[in-house]
Structure formats: C-alpha cells, structure tokens
Amino acid sequence: MQRVAFHVFLLAHWHHIFFQTGCQASEFTLPGEYLLGGLFPMHYPEKTQVYTKEPEALVCPLYLQGYQIFQVMRFAVEQINNSTAILPNVTLGYDIFDHCSDAENFPSLLQFFSQNGSIKVRTSYNMYQPKVIGFTGPLSSTESMTAAPLFMMDLIPMVNVVIQSYYSTSNAFSDKWKYPSFLRTVPSNREQIKLIIYIIQHFGWNWVAFIGSKDEYSENALKLFYSMIGKTNICLAYQELLTDSSKHNVTLYNINRMNINVIIVFTENFIQSAIQFKVQDKVWIASDAWSMDPNLSKLKGINKVGTIFGVTTKMITIPGFSEFVYKSQEQSDCAACDSNPDLLDQAFCNQDCENCTTLHAANIINQSPIYSFPVYAAIYAMANALHNALSCSETGCNKSQTIYPYMVKMNSFAILKVPFANCSAECKPGFVRKQDGLQRCCFQCVECGINYYANQTVDLYTCLKCQEDEWSTERSSACIKRSVEYLHFNEPLSIMIMVSATVFILLVITVSILFAYNYNTPVVRSAGGSMCFLMLGSLGLSSLSVFFYFGKPQPVDCALRNMLFIYFYTVCLACLGVRSFQIVCIFKMAAKFPKVHTWWVKHNGQWLVIIGITVVQTIICTVWMSVDRPMPQKDTESFRDKMLLNCDRQTMSFMPITLSFTWFLSFLCFCFSYMGTDLPKNYNEAKAITFSLLLFYVSWIVNFTTFLMSKDKYVQLVDAAAELFSAYGILFSYFLPKSYIIVFEPQKNTQEFFQSSIQSYTQTISRM
C-alpha cells in the first residue's frame, strides 16, 4: 500500500487534553543540543488499571523509588555537562515523563519520536532526526515489551532510536532481529537462571518448584529454566504462573503435598502468603524482582519460613548523588516557577509531580539503590556513544556533523567501558590491596615499604619481599640489584696493609736472625734470651691475621682474622710481662725475698707463668671457636642499595672475654715496667713497653669507635690496621732499639759496659 506523507500535529492535541501546570515541570525538561528521553514510574498503580475513556491525569500512588531514579538521570546529565572528559563543549538535555501505565505512557513515546511537534510518516527513518537521540526506560520487561515495537518495527525499521532499559531482564530482548536497538544495563534472565541453577547444584538439590507471575519477565525465566536444566539432574516438580485471581493457599498446598522444599520465586507477593499460611522450613530462591526489597526483613514471621537466597545485581552507591538530591530539593521553589510563564507553556502530559516538592531528601536517598546504578550506567552509555559519534577529543567535538540515532547505536557498545562500576579503584603501582569488609572487591590500597614490592600479577594482597641481593624504595613494583661490596685484594688501601704486614714479617725474621747470631751477647740475654724468639715468633704469627681480611669472606677467614691475632699477641704480652717482672725481682725483690727468688730461678718460674697464660688463652679461644665462631655475613641493613660481605661480630659474646684477658695482661706489663723505671738503663724497659702499649690502646680505641659509628666496608680495614699497629708497636719499641745497639753500637754490647751500669745503680741505691 502506498503511504501518503502527512503531518500529525500531536503536541497541540495532547497538550490540550493532558496539560497540567506544576512547579516541577522544570525538573522534567532540560534544554540541550542533544536530548535524552526518560520514562520513570514516579507514580505506580497497585493493580493494573484499565481505562474505558480517554487518558487522564496521573492518579497512581506516589512511588518514591521511581522518583529516586528520576533524580539519578538528572544527576547523571548534570555530571556529564560539567565534565571535560566526556562531550566537551556539548550540552546534553533531557525530556522525562512519569510512567504510570501503558496507556498513559503512549503519548510520551510519541513525544520522544516527534520532530518539531509532529511526526512525518516515511518509508525509511534512517535519516530521520526525532526529538531525542535515545531514551531509557521503562522499568519492567512487560512495559518495555509494549514500548519497544513502536521504535523497532513499525515507525523505525531495524535500528534508529536507541532504547536503554535499566531493569528489563527478559531474555527475549536479546534477539537482535526483533530488537536491534535495544540495550540494557542489567544482566538478562539467562544469567540469573544460570546462577540459580548453580546454587541448586551446589547444595545437591534436585526437587524444586517454580512460582512466577503471568508476565513476560516470569514466563521468559520459566522457559529458560526449563530448557537449561535439561542436561542436569534437577527436576522441576511443580510450576505455576500466578494471576490476580490465583489462590496462593492452593499453590502452597500443592507444594507441601509434593514434598518440595526448594521454591524458586519470580513474583513479589508470594512470600507474604507463605508467611500468612505459616509455611516453615523451606528454601526460597528469590529473583531480582524482590530479593532486595528493603521491607522483606521487616515482615513479621519472615524468620520462620526457612532460608532465603537472593539473586540480584551488585548495588553500588553513586558518589555525589546524595549532595545533588539535597541541593535539588532545597531549590524546589514555586515562586521561581510561577514567575516564568514560558516554562509553564512547555509542560506536558505526565510531567507533573505535585507531592515531590514536599519530599525529604533523606527519604529519597534511603530508597533501595537497586535501580540507581543501572539508570546511571544507561545515561553514561548513551553519552559515551554520542561522544564517539561526534569524534570528540580533549579540545572539543565536531558539532557540524549531523547525528542520526542509528549512528549512536553503532557506538553504543561503549557501555562496556563506562561508567566506573567497581567498589574500589585499582591500586597504583607499588600498592597492594587490603580487604575492606567481607567483599574482596572492596579494598583499600596500602603502599609497600622498603625492600618490598607489589606484583599484581602474582599477589594482589601481599607485598613481596625482595631477594637478599635486591632492594627497593617505598611504592616499588620491582626490585633493583644491590651492589656487592667487600675488601678486594687489589684495592690501594688493601695493598698498603698487606705490604706493611709483609714488611713486618721480614723485619721479624731479620731481627730473629740477628738475635740468634748474637745470642750470647749481653743485649740479647738482657732482652730475654730464648724468650725473645718466642716473642718474635708470636708477633710474626699474629700479623698473619691481617691477610684474612681481604677477598670474599669465608668461614676460615672469619675464624682466624681476630682469633689468630688475639692468641699470639697474648703470648707475646705474657713474655713481655714476665720479662719485666723478672728484672724487677732480680733488682728489688731478691734481697727481700731470697727464698721466693731461689724457687723462681730453680723452677724456671717465668716459663711456668707463660705456659699457664697460654693454656688459659687456649681454652678461651677453643670455647670461642666452638660456641660462638664468627661466620660470613651479608649485611643488607646498613645500606639499602648495598650488600656488605663481612664477618658477623654483633653476636660474638666470647670475643670481649678474650680481648679483656689481653687487655689485663697489657695492664700488668705496664705496671711491672713502671716499677722498673729506676733500674739501670740497660735493663730499664719502661719507656719501650709504655710506648708499645700506648700504641696498642690507641689503635684499638680507634677500632672500636669506628666499628660503633660506621658500617662501611673500610671498618674491616681499620680492624686489620689496629692489629698490625699493635704488633709494630712492640717490634719498634722493644726489639729495634736493641738491634740498633747490636749493629751500630757494639761497644755497649759488652760485659764490662753492663757491669759498670749495675755498679753505678748499686752505688746510687746505697746512698739513698
């Protein structure tokens, strides 16, 4: 049949019939370069209304939750208009209608489709520009089924105006041949049925009932459930789709008679009947139609009906919405509305809410948010699709381009990207999640500390510790290799210490040969005779400890670097102390204690003392090496970017004991040498011993101070130097002066010279 083009002037006609003035008309409309439509049930009939005459003004009771999602759309549009990230320099507007029933909804749908107040009948609507580029609504699957064909099949073939439904879950709308431009922001019934089947299988149930309403939502769900349990062991024992005339007591009787304990319920009021007829100990699986009803938990007797499993989409609080509602309610001023007659002329059917201005903002906000985010997502999806269709960038959009609704449809798949729909934002690199509450998707982000890093591909909730040879700063997502430091053999300071130790050993060997060659001379005998070789040998062996400080520390290095020096240096100090004591005894104690002196000479008392001290030090060092041996250590605490290879001295408890014994012997040496300050010059060792011990004390005080104040690798170098200086002190102060006399002053190395010194000392003492 050939169609004749004509104009149907809808707006004037419907305006005459339905126009009602009201202050809230400005809330329903917002001018903009591109308009979005909205259908929300701010008034909702308790029962289905059948009109027998022309449509009339709204008579449905106020539905507060419908008014809440009405405000969500207004908030989303305002948020988008204030954003520079989406649709920059483009203003969105809206045209919203209160949807009470299908009959009263029809004029609103024509208003969306109109162009300048009229609708032109065409054969093709691909290049047709209606008033809105897309709209969201209505609420349920049945209501969407009424509106969708008008836009899908008759006036708009295939794809044109985009319909976004925020709670139409029927799987029938997934058929893109029938509903090519129908999109939704909630999962379909198929996903809901999958979850219900999973719950049933998880608990091992197989004898269930399905109760729904006589509507598209329940019929589609029942059809899906029946088809999807075909390959499972679940049996649908009973099914019924209720109408207003159905008797719930009969349904409940049939369920009890068949011993069915698991009931799937896709209708809202059936659970009240179960409470009324005192049904107990059943399992109820609630669909999203009533599972999040805020009044459900308040029903008297709800705790006796059994266990209720609720299936629903995740509810998300929209940031900033509460503040918007408070501001919107405060700005509802009728005086401002009445002063603008042009605004009144723009009001239309179903764009009036007389009681909405008296609503408290808190009552609006406290409604269940189950529908809020789907509406919010629908508006953002259409805005983002328009953003892509206009080729928008950071600088602006190409508004010179003509946009047809099918172009928005082509880009509407951006719904998968916006808006933000997570409980918590993803953590930045270097942060891990800390679960906030019971849900794992709700978390706080906690930064990883020093030497820890975050690897979100391995563990989202735990900071991983770096390896021993790695380090990291705070908030790191990877570790960095540490630089390994220790005293190398080829470092200049290391070479200097080792050369000094080698020179020392050569000097010890030279002095030993010199003393051996002049063994029977007075100088060698006064220095201790054979005891000198024990002292020189101990000094030479103690200096070998220096060579264990260089290179990568090994267990033998850590064991010998301190112990070798302390043991042989103690033997040398024992010889030095005994020699000083022996000279004092000969000159000062022999006459006063002749028997003691005789016993000392007869039994070689000096050697007994040296052997005793050596045995004690041997026991101490053996216990030290057995119980608390120093071991190689990788120090990663002193420097965050370095790993120092050294020997652990922090836990050594026996080293202070061995050092204390050595220091005690040095103190005795100092006392005995001081007692002999007035002896003949050839036998007076006070200055030599005092100098050597002073160098010993200073070296080790510097060593301990450096160890406490610094953790650098050169602390080990100071330790080696202290040992070497201590050995050099005895060699230079005690042996080299005597070697000088032997080599350069042989006239003083005679028996006569020593006798004259003794006679001079005796005469001096006798005069006193």
Side-chain angles (χ1 to χ4, degrees):
M1 177 185 293
Q2 182 179 4
R3 299 190 178 184
V4 180
F6 67 94
H7 290 72
V8 181
F9 295 97
L10 296 169
L11 295 181
H13 177 71
W14 294 115
H15 177 84
H16 175 75
I17 297 175
F18 293 104
F19 175 74
Q20 294 183 356
T21 61
C23 296
Q24 294 298 90
S26 61
E27 283 193 330
F28 288 83
T29 60
L30 178 70
E33 296 169 271
Y34 299 93
L35 294 184
L36 302 179
L39 284 175
F40 301 110
M42 285 176 285
H43 295 81
Y44 209 60
E46 296 181 355
K47 296 184 179 180
T48 304
Q49 296 184 9
V50 179
Y51 294 108
T52 58
K53 56 182 180 178
E54 62 183 17
E56 57 189 30
L58 297 175
V59 294
C60 306
L62 179 64
Y63 184 50
L64 197 54
Q65 193 156 16
Y67 186 68
Q68 181 199 54
I69 57 177
F70 161 77
Q71 294 288 2
V72 168
M73 176 173 178
R74 297 182 63 238
F75 168 69
V77 172
E78 179 179 293
Q79 198 176 54
I80 292 169
N81 286 338
N82 292 333
S83 172
T84 58
I86 182 171
L87 294 176
N89 79 336
V90 172
T91 303
L92 275 184
Y94 51 74
D95 206 4
I96 306 174
F97 291 89
D98 182 3
H99 176 214
C100 178
S101 68
D102 294 337
E104 294 183 347
N105 180 42
F106 185 74
S108 307
L109 298 179
L110 295 177
Q111 172 73 353
F112 290 148
F113 190 70
S114 68
Q115 186 183 67
N116 298 324
S118 64
I119 300 175
K120 295 180 180 180
V121 179
R122 298 168 177 261
T123 58
S124 174
Y125 286 87
N126 287 337
M127 298 303 170
Y128 179 70
Q129 287 184 294
K131 184 177 182 180
V132 299
I133 62 167
F135 80 93
T136 179
L139 173 63
S140 68
S141 298
T142 301
E143 294 163 350
S144 296
M145 191 72 72
T146 303
L150 179 63
F151 293 90
M152 300 293 159
M153 302 301 295
D154 296 333
L155 296 178
I156 307 176
M158 299 304 293
V159 179
N160 222 311
V161 176
V162 179
I163 299 180
Q164 286 277 6
S165 179
Y166 51 87
Y167 226 75
S168 297
T169 60
S170 173
N171 197 61
F173 293 112
S174 300
D175 186 351
K176 289 302 177 183
W177 288 105
K178 289 184 178 180
Y179 306 100
S181 58
F182 187 94
L183 303 173
R184 53 183 152 206
T185 53
V186 290
S188 67
N189 271 349
R190 178 174 294 274
E191 303 304 320
Q192 186 173 197
I193 295 299
K194 283 182 180 179
L195 182 56
I196 291 174
I197 292 175
Y198 173 81
I199 294 173
I200 296 172
Q201 290 180 318
H202 177 77
F203 290 100
W205 300 324
N206 59 9
W207 194 246
V208 301
F210 188 103
I211 306 299
S213 301
K214 191 68 176 178
D215 54 28
E216 172 61 27
Y217 172 66
S218 297
E219 290 175 356
N220 177 257
L222 177 58
K223 180 180 178 181
L224 284 171
F225 182 77
Y226 193 78
S227 63
M228 294 173 69
I229 63 173
K231 296 181 180 180
T232 69
N233 63 344
I234 301 173
C235 296
L236 183 57
Y238 183 82
Q239 57 177 293
E240 185 174 355
L241 297 178
L242 304 174
T243 63
D244 292 340
S245 60
S246 297
K247 295 182 179 181
H248 293 183
N249 61 328
V250 175
T251 302
L252 291 169
Y253 171 79
N254 292 332
I255 290 173
N256 281 326
R257 181 177 57 84
M258 299 180 68
N259 294 321
I260 300 173
N261 292 322
V262 179
I263 304 102
I264 304 167
V265 182
F266 266 69
T267 184
E268 297 185 27
N269 299 322
F270 190 70
I271 194 68
Q272 287 89 333
S273 299
I275 297 173
Q276 178 184 353
F277 293 107
K278 299 181 180 180
V279 176
Q280 297 181 353
D281 301 327
K282 300 289 185 182
V283 175
W284 309 86
I285 301 179
S287 73
D288 55 6
W290 65 282
S291 61
M292 295 307 297
D293 185 351
N295 297 318
L296 183 62
S297 60
K298 302 176 183 178
L299 294 176
K300 186 177 180 180
I302 188 67
N303 58 325
K304 296 180 180 180
V305 296
T307 302
I308 300 178
F309 288 90
V311 178
T312 186
T313 56
K314 182 175 179 59
M315 294 190 298
I316 299 175
T317 302
I318 302 173
F321 177 64
S322 298
E323 292 78 2
F324 173 82
V325 173
Y326 276 106
K327 181 183 70 173
S328 178
Q329 293 302 105
E330 290 173 359
Q331 292 177 350
S332 297
D333 188 352
C334 285
C337 181
D338 294 339
S339 63
N340 190 350
D342 294 334
L343 190 60
L344 295 178
D345 291 338
Q346 297 173 8
F348 196 76
C349 171
N350 297 3
Q351 289 184 315
D352 177 61
C353 185
E354 297 178 355
N355 300 324
C356 293
T357 57
T358 61
L359 295 175
H360 294 290
N363 293 337
I364 301 172
I365 296 168
N366 291 334
Q367 292 298 304
S368 172
I370 187 171
Y371 303 132
S372 299
F373 188 77
V375 172
Y376 185 76
I379 301 305
Y380 262 90
M382 290 187 286
N384 208 62
L386 180 61
H387 179 94
N388 293 335
L390 290 172
S391 303
C392 296
S393 63
E394 295 180 357
T395 57
C397 301
N398 181 18
K399 292 191 287 187
S400 61
Q401 181 181 358
T402 301
I403 299 298
Y404 299 101
Y406 78 90
M407 299 172 65
V408 177
K409 169 65 178 68
M410 291 171 60
N411 291 276
S412 62
F413 295 101
I415 186 172
L416 299 176
K417 300 180 181 179
V418 292
F420 176 74
N422 295 334
C423 179
S424 301
E426 288 297 327
C427 294
K428 297 178 181 178
F431 288 77
V432 294
R433 298 178 181 182
K434 180 181 179 183
Q435 189 167 327
D436 188 8
L438 298 177
Q439 299 294 337
R440 289 179 63 86
C441 56
C442 298
F443 51 83
Q444 298 176 357
C445 293
V446 181
E447 68 177 40
C448 292
I450 296 175
N451 293 334
Y452 287 85
Y453 70 101
N455 188 339
Q456 297 184 359
T457 60
V458 176
D459 194 333
L460 293 171
Y461 293 88
T462 306
C463 290
L464 305 178
K465 187 174 179 60
C466 294
Q467 298 295 326
E468 191 177 33
D469 59 343
E470 298 175 334
W471 70 283
S472 67
T473 59
E474 301 91 342
R475 306 179 183 181
S476 295
S477 56
C479 295
I480 306 170
K481 282 286 184 181
R482 294 178 186 267
S483 60
V484 180
E485 293 195 356
Y486 57 92
L487 287 177
H488 293 269
F489 284 102
N490 57 355
E491 291 187 38
L493 292 176
S494 301
I495 294 173
M496 184 180 69
I497 293 295
M498 288 188 290
V499 169
S500 300
T502 304
V503 171
F504 179 82
I505 293 173
L506 293 175
L507 287 174
V508 167
I509 295 173
T510 302
V511 171
S512 299
I513 295 172
L514 181 63
F515 273 43
Y517 184 78
N518 297 276
Y519 181 76
N520 293 319
T521 61
V523 171
V524 175
R525 288 189 171 277
S526 65
S530 58
M531 195 180 294
C532 292
F533 299 106
L534 179 58
M535 294 173 64
L536 288 169
S538 297
L539 287 176
L541 291 173
S542 68
S543 65
L544 292 176
S545 63
V546 171
F547 294 97
F548 294 101
Y549 281 92
F550 307 104
K552 289 185 178 181
Q554 302 298 326
V556 65
D557 298 328
C558 294
L560 295 180
R561 60 171 53 177
N562 287 121
M563 190 274 290
L564 194 65
F565 169 79
I566 293 173
Y567 181 81
F568 287 106
Y569 193 78
T570 301
V571 174
C572 182
L573 284 178
C575 295
L576 199 62
V578 167
R579 181 59 186 164
S580 300
F581 176 75
Q582 191 172 12
I583 293 174
V584 171
C585 286
I586 292 172
F587 283 95
K588 293 188 176 184
M589 299 179 66
K592 296 180 180 180
F593 305 100
K595 293 183 179 181
V596 175
H597 180 262
T598 302
W599 183 90
W600 177 272
V601 173
K602 181 180 179 180
H603 296 87
N604 292 316
Q606 68 275 18
W607 290 110
L608 292 177
V609 173
I610 292 172
I611 292 172
I613 293 173
T614 303
V615 170
V616 172
Q617 188 70 323
T618 301
I619 294 173
I620 294 175
C621 289
T622 302
V623 175
W624 176 19
M625 291 296 105
S626 302
V627 177
D628 196 24
R629 179 187 301 177
M631 297 298 293
Q633 171 188 257
K634 295 178 180 179
D635 181 11
T636 59
E637 301 296 331
S638 300
F639 301 93
R640 69 178 185 179
D641 59 340
K642 299 178 184 178
M643 182 170 65
L644 299 181
L645 302 183
N646 54 25
C647 296
D648 184 15
R649 286 170 52 177
Q650 299 287 351
T651 60
M652 293 190 296
S653 57
F654 274 88
M655 184 177 177
I657 298 175
T658 56
L659 278 176
S660 299
F661 187 66
T662 303
W663 278 62
F664 175 71
L665 287 178
S666 67
F667 177 73
L668 289 179
C669 289
F670 181 79
C671 292
F672 293 144
S673 63
Y674 182 78
M675 292 170 62
T677 53
D678 57 345
L679 295 178
K681 185 177 182 180
N682 293 340
Y683 296 92
N684 189 348
E685 306 295 346
K687 293 181 180 179
I689 294 176
T690 301
F691 176 78
S692 62
L693 294 178
L694 182 63
L695 187 60
F696 171 76
Y697 293 145
V698 171
S699 299
W700 282 90
I701 289 173
V702 171
N703 183 20
F704 288 142
T705 305
T706 305
F707 175 76
L708 294 175
M709 295 181 62
S710 176
K711 300 299 180 183
D712 196 80
K713 68 177 182 177
Y714 293 107
V715 172
Q716 304 173 69
L717 195 68
V718 175
D719 196 359
E723 295 179 359
L724 194 58
F725 287 165
S726 300
Y728 262 111
I730 295 178
L731 182 66
F732 278 12
S733 63
Y734 191 82
F735 289 102
L736 287 188
K738 294 174 172 54
S739 300
Y740 181 82
I741 293 174
I742 294 172
V743 176
F744 297 104
E745 295 182 349
Q747 68 277 6
K748 294 182 180 180
N749 190 18
T750 61
Q751 192 70 30
E752 293 78 11
F753 182 80
F754 274 77
Q755 288 293 337
S756 62
S757 298
I758 295 173
Q759 291 175 1
S760 175
Y761 171 77
T762 305
Q763 292 174 1
T764 302
I765 292 297
S766 62
R767 294 193 191 101
M768 296 177 61

